[in-house]
């Protein structure tokens, strides 16, 4: 980067998002205990949206399969940190394969291991999936999600099956989650401006012209899918240490749909879009949830029927796809002048 | 076999019952600029798609430096020195002009540093260095054609295949393209196959011309001779008109 890559490094593109996410975490997280928890979950979702941005945003290939990597990351980090006596004796775990009971490590090592194994799983599945594009890629990644979910949901030899693994230790310090998110921003930004990142974007822009330049589309997609799997695994790992329990259902359709909406609504082509989408959808989602529960928002009660939240987010998702497919950020990275003009 | 040359030997191709190419053989020598003329539907695009690996021939073989390329993907052929441009430009619209051109070098595994240097020098040679920071989708059609050429040239190919580089250019832009092609020949020295409808451009830029008519090669030789050739006149120039 020192002598300058092809794409110029920009301080504001990188540090704008870091400063914004830090400020939000700092101010919102301190307001109340419930907002602190919401902030923590939002940081986990953001990690997932970053994972999706790296692959889906840059390659233009839709993936419904990333929940698999989050699930595996969550499962591994949860299993490696839950107390041994819980794994050995909890009712939900009574059929667990005995060899898995004594495996134990601290949260941070567990997070690293879970991300690495998720990346490995992404590389393995990607070696087949990356041969597909367009609709068939969407369907095949969706099938991957279904397979992973069903294996974990039904197999009580490897985990809690349809029940929950309780007593997973939590990360109570929000700033640790923030630090992980900031590190991920740096990694994703550097990837996006690297030669490899630009090559991937080229394959998205014109999959016919790219091979004429010697670009191997399969190879660049596979590398991005693997990095993306690492981040998705980390997101699942963070999530399990915020929730305090591991549950297979947490990483299925709702999770997949919510995080993809965040990416698409924010604007999938940029890191800034990923952050904007996460912030906007989390905020709106939270307000709608409060309205569903008839809680006052700044003293005002505005009740909406239960389930409205999911419907409204879905409608927003479709509206963006129809009328502004490049999302709120419209492919742009964060920069001060455009930010003020808006 | 002519060492180092880019050759097609007895290449045939049919789409269903339609025979688009019938035993077409050509040789392009290193550094040679060859024009490929032919009326609409003669099989020119199909032929260069076969050369670049975008289409598979039914019979015959394509070689570079004596190595057969049959069955190799477009990206594998690019690595062996075959570059191409497209009839419709096909730039990466959300990337800048500089990034587009740099990818020509990066795609073959060159470092970002090398890519950057090549980009700068090629854009200077073509006189469009001012366009570097602009998004490819924002530049004019004429400039986009030059950027497409620059991107292909950034690979430093042995052979460059161009599908109608002058299509859609106006009277001011066409001479710029001819000038650009001359600069590329002088600076990079790659062999070229130039598919064109513009007879003047072909006679100006090429040292040899090949004429296809309904899938058959009917002429291979001096461009000025081609204009006088009876069969060529009736097949092509007769209906396209000599400009
Ligand atoms: N994929 C295809 N399937 C069926 N027929 C095709 C296909 N591609 C080309 N053809 C036919 O093959 C013939 C040659 O087409 P080609 O595009 O190679 O001609 P061309 O010389 O490049 O013409 P132009 O000057 O119009 O670009 C045409 O009759 C065309 O309709
Ligand atoms: Mg054509």
């Amino acid at each position: 980067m020192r002598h300058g890559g092809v794409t110029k490094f920009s301080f504001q593109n990188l540090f704008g998002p870091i400063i914004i996410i830090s400020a939000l975490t700092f101010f919102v997280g301190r307001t109340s205990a419930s907002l602190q928890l919401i902030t923590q979950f939002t940081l986990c979702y953001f990690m997932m949206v970053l994972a999706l941005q790296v692959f889906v945003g840059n390659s233009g290939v839709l993936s419904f399969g990333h929940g698999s990597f989050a699930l595996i990351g969550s499962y591994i980090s949860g299993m490696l940190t839950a107390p041994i006596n819980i794994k050995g004796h909890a009712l939900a775990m009574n059929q667990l394969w005995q060899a898995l009971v004594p495996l134990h490590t601290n949260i941070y090592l567990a997070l690293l291991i879970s991300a690495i194994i998720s990346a490995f799983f992404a590389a393995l599945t990607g070696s087949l999936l990356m041969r597909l594009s367009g609709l068939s890629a969407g369907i095949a990644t969706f099938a991957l999600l279904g397979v992973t979910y069903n294996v974990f949901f039904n197999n009580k030899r490897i985990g809690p099956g349809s029940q929950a693994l309780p007593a997973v230790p939590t990360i109570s310090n929000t700033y640790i989650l923030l630090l992980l998110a900031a590190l991920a921003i740096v990694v994703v930004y550097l990837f996006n401006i690297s030669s490899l990142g630009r090559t991937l974007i080229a394959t998205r822009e014109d999959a016919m012209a790219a091979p004429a330049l010697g670009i191997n589309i399969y190879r660049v997609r596979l590398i991005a899918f693997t990095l993306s799997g690492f981040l998705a695994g980390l997101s699942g790992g963070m999530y399990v240490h915020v929730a305090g329990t591991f549950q297979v259902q947490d990483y299925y359709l709702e999770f997949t749909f919510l995080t993809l909406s965040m990416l698409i609504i924010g604007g999938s082509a940029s890191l800034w879009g990923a952050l904007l989408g996460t912030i906007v959808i989390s905020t709106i989602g939270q307000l709608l949830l409060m309205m569903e529960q008839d809680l006052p928002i700044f003293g005002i009660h505005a009740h909406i029927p239960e389930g409205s939240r999911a419907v409204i987010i879905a409608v927003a998702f479709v509206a963006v796809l129809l009328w502004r497919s490049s999302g709120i950020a419209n492919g742009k990275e964060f920069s001060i002048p455009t930010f003020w003009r808006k | 076999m002519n060492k180092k040359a880019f050759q097609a030997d007895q290449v045939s191709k049919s789409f269903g019952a339609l025979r688009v190419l019938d035993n077409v053989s050509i040789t392009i020598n290193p550094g040679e600029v060859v024009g490929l003329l032919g009326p609409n539907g003669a099989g020119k695009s199909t032929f260069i798609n076969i050369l670049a690996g975008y289409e598979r021939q039914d019979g015959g073989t394509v070689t570079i430096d004596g190595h057969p390329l049959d069955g190799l993907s477009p990206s594998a052929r690019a690595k062996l020195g075959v570059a191409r441009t497209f009839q419709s430009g096909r730039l990466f619209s959300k990337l800048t002009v500089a990034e587009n051109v740099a990818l020509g070098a990066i795609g073959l595994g060159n470092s970002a540093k090398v890519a950057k240097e090549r980009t700068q020098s090629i854009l200077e040679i073509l006189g469009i260095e001012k366009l570097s920071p602009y998004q490819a989708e924002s530049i004019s059609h004429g400039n986009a054609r030059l950027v497409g050429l620059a991107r292909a040239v950034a690979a430093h190919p042995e052979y460059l295949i161009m599908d109608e580089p002058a299509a859609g250019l106006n009277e001011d832009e066409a001479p710029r393209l001819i000038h650009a092609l001359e600069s590329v020949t002088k600076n990079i020295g790659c062999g070229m196959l130039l598919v064109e409808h513009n007879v003047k451009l072909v006679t100006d830029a090429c040292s040899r011309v090949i004429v296809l008519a309904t899938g058959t090669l009917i002429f291979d030789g001096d461009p000025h001779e081609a204009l006088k050739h009876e069969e060529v006149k009736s097949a092509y120039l007769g209906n396209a008109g000599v400009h």
Side-chain angles (χ1 to χ4, degrees):
Chain A
M1 219 71 43
R2 215 37 38 82
H3 52 254
V6 172
T7 304
K8 265 210 219 93
F9 176 87
S10 151
F11 276 95
Q12 54 174 337
N13 287 176
L14 173 59
F15 290 105
I18 292 181
I19 290 169
I20 288 170
I21 198 173
S22 304
L24 279 173
T25 303
F26 187 75
F27 290 114
V28 179
R30 284 190 341 167
T31 328
S32 70
S34 73
L35 276 179
Q36 178 168 26
L37 191 63
I38 290 162
T39 306
Q40 293 183 346
F41 276 119
T42 304
L43 287 166
C44 301
Y45 285 129
F46 176 59
M47 184 65 82
M48 183 66 178
V49 179
L50 276 182
L52 291 169
Q53 201 280 319
V54 165
F55 179 72
V56 177
N58 291 326
S59 74
V61 178
L62 196 53
S63 167
F64 295 106
H66 275 63
S68 303
F69 310 135
L71 197 169
I72 286 170
S74 171
Y75 162 77
I76 289 169
S77 213
M79 288 291 281
L80 283 177
T81 54
I84 291 175
N85 61 347
I86 295 277
K87 283 193 283 181
H89 302 294
L91 206 54
M93 310 295 283
N94 59 1
Q95 292 169 36
L96 189 68
W97 188 29
Q98 283 306 303
L100 294 176
V101 174
L103 296 177
H104 192 84
T105 170
N106 72 57
I107 292 182
Y108 303 103
L109 188 57
L111 278 177
L112 183 64
I113 294 172
S114 64
I116 290 172
I117 294 181
S118 297
F120 181 75
F121 184 63
L124 201 71
T125 52
S127 64
L128 292 173
L129 293 171
M130 294 303 104
R131 297 183 194 283
L132 308 171
S133 309
L135 193 58
S136 43
I139 293 168
T141 52
F142 195 59
L144 172 67
L145 179 67
V147 169
T148 317
Y149 172 78
N150 278 295
V151 165
F152 280 90
F153 190 81
N154 293 308
N155 193 330
K156 298 202 79 175
R157 297 277 292 152
I158 54 172
S162 60
Q163 282 162 295
L165 167 65
V168 174
T170 54
I171 298 175
S172 51
N173 188 343
T174 311
Y175 296 113
I176 290 171
L177 300 170
L178 175 64
L179 181 70
L180 291 173
L183 283 175
I185 289 178
V186 173
V187 169
V188 171
Y189 180 72
L190 293 180
F191 174 80
N192 287 358
I193 66 165
S194 71
S195 293
L196 195 65
R198 294 286 133 175
T199 306
L200 186 62
I201 294 172
T203 68
R204 175 193 77 198
E205 292 295 299
D206 195 324
M208 180 128 153
L213 308 179
I215 294 171
N216 182 335
I217 296 183
Y218 171 75
R219 182 179 155 270
V220 290
R221 281 187 186 162
L222 183 57
I223 295 171
F225 197 67
T226 305
L227 173 60
S228 181
F230 183 94
L231 296 173
L234 189 56
S235 145
M238 286 160 66
Y239 194 100
V240 81
H241 295 299
V242 171
T245 50
F246 167 72
Q247 245 185 318
V248 179
Q249 297 91 309
D250 286 348
Y251 311 95
Y252 199 39
L253 298 177
E254 211 182 307
F255 178 80
T256 301
F257 180 70
L258 180 66
T259 49
L260 272 174
S261 310
M262 288 173 170
L263 179 71
I264 308 290
I265 291 173
S268 64
S270 67
L271 173 58
W272 176 226
L275 180 59
L276 270 180
T278 309
I279 295 171
V280 169
I281 297 304
S282 299
T283 309
I284 293 175
Q286 193 50 40
L287 293 175
L288 292 173
L289 186 69
M290 288 165 78
M291 287 157 82
E292 279 184 8
Q293 295 168 347
D294 206 11
L295 295 171
I297 298 167
F298 301 117
I300 300 164
H301 283 266
H303 185 69
I304 54 171
E306 225 169 279
S308 310
R309 183 171 68 128
V311 172
I312 291 171
I313 292 176
V315 169
F317 187 19
V318 173
V320 165
L321 286 179
L322 281 177
W323 291 297
R324 195 181 166 97
S325 58
S326 48
I328 303 170
N330 193 18
K332 301 280 185 296
E333 287 299 353
F334 173 88
S335 69
I336 294 168
T338 59
F339 190 63
W340 287 127
R341 249 181 267 138
K342 265 191 185 158
Chain B
M1 282 261 160
N2 189 342
K3 267 296 205 189
K4 296 267 187 209
F6 189 29
Q7 292 183 304
D9 191 29
Q10 305 275 314
V11 167
S12 300
K13 175 79 184 174
S14 300
F15 290 114
L18 181 69
R19 193 152 176 90
V20 178
L21 294 171
D22 192 13
N23 292 322
V24 177
S25 301
I26 66 158
T27 299
I28 307 165
N29 294 304
E32 193 181 17
V33 182
V34 178
L36 177 55
L37 287 172
N40 289 102
K44 305 181 297 295
S45 290
T46 305
F47 185 58
I48 65 176
N49 281 336
I50 288 171
L51 294 181
Y54 279 80
E55 200 101 59
R56 200 175 274 233
Q57 71 270 32
D58 302 333
T61 178
V62 178
T63 58
I64 186 166
D65 199 8
H67 301 291
L69 301 179
D70 310 321
L72 294 183
S73 66
S75 71
R77 290 182 199 216
K79 293 201 164 79
L80 292 172
V82 181
R84 74 164 294 179
T85 65
F86 294 86
Q87 200 163 344
S88 53
R90 310 199 80 112
L91 297 182
F92 307 123
S93 51
K94 300 287 178 203
L95 296 178
T96 65
V97 165
E99 285 169 339
N100 264 276
V101 178
L103 280 165
I106 287 169
L108 295 183
N110 291 292
S111 69
K113 190 163 177 278
V114 169
K116 221 176 141 183
E117 287 164 4
R118 280 193 196 173
T119 302
Q120 216 149 19
S121 89
I122 293 161
L123 290 177
E124 269 166 33
I125 289 170
L126 300 187
I128 48 173
E129 67 272 26
K130 287 209 176 68
L131 297 177
S132 289
Y134 292 98
Q135 252 187 15
E137 64 187 354
S138 71
I139 64 176
S140 73
H141 174 76
N143 282 329
R145 312 258 24 177
L146 291 179
V147 174
L149 173 64
R151 184 176 70 179
V153 167
H156 281 186
E158 302 280 334
Y159 291 96
L160 174 56
I161 306 168
M162 280 171 284
D163 202 352
E164 304 200 23
L169 297 191
N170 61 34
E171 281 161 34
D172 301 330
E173 290 167 333
R176 272 176 69 205
L177 179 81
I178 296 182
H179 181 71
L181 289 174
E182 280 165 358
S183 310
V184 168
T185 324
K186 204 172 78 204
N187 289 280
I188 314 285
C190 54
M192 289 189 206
L193 181 63
L194 200 70
V195 173
E196 248 322 316
H197 276 301
N198 186 331
V199 177
K200 170 142 178 21
L201 193 144
V202 170
T203 46
D204 282 1
C206 304
S207 54
R208 215 177 94 215
V209 64
I210 289 165
V211 183
L212 272 183
T214 54
T216 316
L217 195 151
I218 56 167
F219 183 86
D220 182 346
D222 183 84
H224 299 282
E225 295 288 309
L227 300 180
K228 295 179 213 144
H229 194 270
E230 281 308 318
E231 207 179 343
V232 172
K233 270 201 227 165
S234 64
Y236 180 61
L237 307 171
N239 59 41
V242 189
H243 359 284

